[in-house]
Amino acid sequence: MSVIVSQANAGKPAALNFGFAQTTADIVVALDADTVLTRDTVSELVRHFKDPRVGAVAGNTKVGNRINLLTRWQALEYITSQNLDRRAFAVLNCITVVPGAVGAWRRELVESAGGFRHDTLAEDADLTLAIRKLGKRIVYEEEAIALTEAPDTVRGFIGQRYRWMYGTMQAAWKHRDVLFRRRYGALGFVALPNVVIFQVLFPLISPIMDLLLIGSLGSAAFSYSHHPEEEEYSADNLWRVLFYYALFVSVDYLAAILAFALERKESWGLLIWLFWQRFFYRQLMYYVAIKSTITSLKGVLVGWGRRSVKRACRWRLDRRLAMPGERTVITVLLSLAVRIPACTPESFAGQGACSLNSPPHPWPFSREGRTEIREPLARLSH
């Protein structure tokens, strides 16, 4: 059974609240319009809610459209940065965001936190922090895989990351009361300082470090060409700079190798692009960080904007799954398992509006029926 609902565009938070309002299920799974799930994603997410302390579960988002250099770099970043951070934060119970691409939520906590709010561009991070502040656990499930369609143009990439980074700054500022508060544990002592250091300060300082490296290499080359009598001195300076740079790159690779070792089903061939990532991709991230910081200081209101969904990651899902028509099965499975309406892509993309107080659709199945994951899938596969 699937229920298709839609309303006029009122932003993504309103669309998410609209979806939640259509169900009285205990657990609700949410995903983005540009994302598809694998066969076991839902069951892997919902199993964690046996523990009443769990308030939300973050899935494992991967780039499904690895069609050019930019999307491969993003695939690499998802593995070596976002997912690796989430694994570490899960151990400390300080995950700062359940990704909009794939996540499961305990509905009563979402309602207690006020639903998905419109006052930040990172409504998923805002709600995650709010639930964590209620004293609940946020966990990470690596087997709950979702394949998302990453921007394949520089313009689209900058637009997306600008929203993410600016929204994260908004959410961190909104929940700044957790900073260095013992009652919030690692959330206030590790996670939020990590946002400030590595998403704000480090990207602002990194361009200066890159310029210093280029200046050192240029200075050594100039001294060598104009003062050959000081060849030994210039060579020592050059080798010292190269040594520290190589050390930095080695640490980067070691962290990446650790991330890939934990992602057992990933293609190690992506590591080829890690070194080259720092010569263009990271400069884009520096630009986004600087732009986001300036915007936040000015207090400018930023909207979501529009991005076309090309469905370029569908091929990757079909290749992963043996059963044809898996996208239809996933839609029905979501409805059977957790009573979430299978909304249209437009609804998940923000083409809807509602209040959490809207009456839910009637549900004809028993509680036992909606919590069984495997049986409906097996039945539908035949």
Side-chain angles (χ1 to χ4, degrees):
M1 176 181 177
S2 63
V3 180
I4 300 176
V5 289
S6 63
Q7 285 192 0
N9 186 3
K12 185 181 177 183
L16 288 166
N17 289 334
F18 180 48
F20 272 73
Q22 308 310 306
T23 178
T24 56
D26 299 328
I27 311 302
V28 181
V29 173
L31 65 154
D32 286 341
D34 58 1
T35 304
V36 289
L37 308 181
T38 58
R39 177 181 294 136
D40 297 325
T41 299
V42 174
S43 57
E44 293 291 348
L45 287 170
V46 300
R47 68 184 180 88
H48 290 278
F49 291 96
K50 294 178 182 178
D51 184 348
R53 298 173 300 171
V54 172
V57 181
N60 185 351
T61 310
K62 295 179 178 293
V63 173
N65 59 326
R66 304 175 187 184
I67 56 177
N68 59 23
L69 189 56
L70 181 61
T71 55
R72 291 188 182 99
W73 276 335
Q74 290 175 79
L76 190 58
E77 183 204 354
Y78 273 63
I79 299 164
T80 60
S81 179
Q82 297 183 30
N83 288 341
L84 185 61
D85 286 353
R86 205 165 281 130
R87 289 173 186 275
F89 288 167
V91 175
L92 298 172
N93 189 24
C94 62
I95 289 177
T96 56
V97 57
V98 173
V102 56
W105 308 84
R106 198 178 293 276
R107 187 176 56 82
E108 63 176 346
L109 291 176
V110 173
E111 293 180 348
S112 298
F116 292 89
R117 308 298 292 269
H118 293 76
D119 51 354
T120 76
L121 283 178
E123 71 288 329
D124 45 8
D126 180 23
L127 182 58
T128 302
L129 291 170
I131 290 177
R132 177 62 187 85
K133 286 167 69 175
L134 292 175
K136 297 299 182 178
R137 292 183 59 215
I138 310 294
V139 301
Y140 171 68
E141 176 50 62
E142 64 175 316
E143 296 298 331
I145 296 174
L147 302 174
T148 191
E149 183 180 299
D152 56 6
T153 65
V154 171
R155 181 177 181 180
F157 173 77
I158 290 176
Q160 182 197 64
R161 295 311 173 97
Y162 178 49
R163 291 194 306 271
W164 284 10
M165 191 165 291
Y166 185 60
T168 300
M169 290 179 181
Q170 290 177 309
W173 179 255
K174 180 179 178 179
H175 297 279
R176 62 189 182 277
D177 57 310
V178 309
L179 275 171
F180 308 119
R181 297 277 298 277
R182 180 176 293 182
R183 63 177 293 190
Y184 299 118
L187 184 65
F189 285 93
V190 177
L192 251 62
N194 178 80
V195 170
V196 175
I197 294 171
F198 290 101
Q199 293 196 33
V200 180
L201 297 181
F202 188 75
L204 294 177
I205 296 173
S206 293
I208 300 174
M209 298 171 63
D210 289 347
L211 290 174
L212 289 175
L213 172 63
I214 295 172
S216 298
L217 293 175
S219 175
F222 180 83
S223 298
Y224 177 77
S225 61
H226 289 77
H227 304 285
E229 67 279 1
E230 299 178 5
E231 177 180 347
E232 184 176 345
Y233 173 76
S234 299
D236 286 344
N237 280 350
L238 178 61
W239 284 112
R240 188 177 297 110
V241 170
L242 292 177
F243 170 78
Y244 286 113
Y245 185 75
L247 183 63
F248 183 78
V249 171
S250 298
V251 171
D252 207 15
Y253 262 96
L254 288 174
I257 290 170
L258 173 61
F260 272 82
L262 295 172
E263 295 276 353
R264 291 167 293 178
K265 299 177 182 178
E266 264 300 342
S267 169
W268 286 71
L270 280 174
L271 284 173
I272 296 172
W273 306 107
L274 182 62
F275 178 77
W276 308 107
Q277 189 185 54
R278 66 181 58 252
F279 296 110
F280 179 70
Y281 186 82
R282 297 193 183 183
Q283 279 67 35
L284 291 179
M285 296 296 290
Y286 299 159
Y287 168 74
V288 171
I290 294 170
K291 183 180 179 181
S292 301
T293 302
I294 293 173
T295 303
S296 63
L297 292 174
K298 289 182 176 179
V300 177
L301 183 64
V302 178
W304 259 81
R306 291 183 177 272
R307 184 174 77 86
S308 60
V309 179
K310 303 177 181 177
R311 304 295 181 192
C313 63
R314 187 183 303 175
W315 69 271
R316 188 172 176 84
L317 176 69
D318 293 340
R319 198 171 68 170
R320 275 176 174 269
L321 301 172
M323 184 164 49
E326 182 66 42
R327 285 170 54 79
T328 303
V329 173
I330 286 177
T331 300
V332 179
L333 178 60
L334 281 170
S335 299
L336 288 173
V338 294
R339 302 201 303 176
I340 181 175
C343 297
T344 60
E346 290 76 20
S347 296
F348 281 110
Q351 308 290 330
C354 78
S355 166
L356 276 174
N357 296 321
S358 303
H361 284 297
W363 183 251
F365 295 99
S366 67
R367 185 180 184 86
E368 290 74 17
R370 74 172 184 259
T371 56
E372 178 58 48
I373 304 298
R374 305 285 183 179
E375 186 179 346
L377 180 58
R379 195 165 59 243
L380 288 166
S381 65
H382 297 293

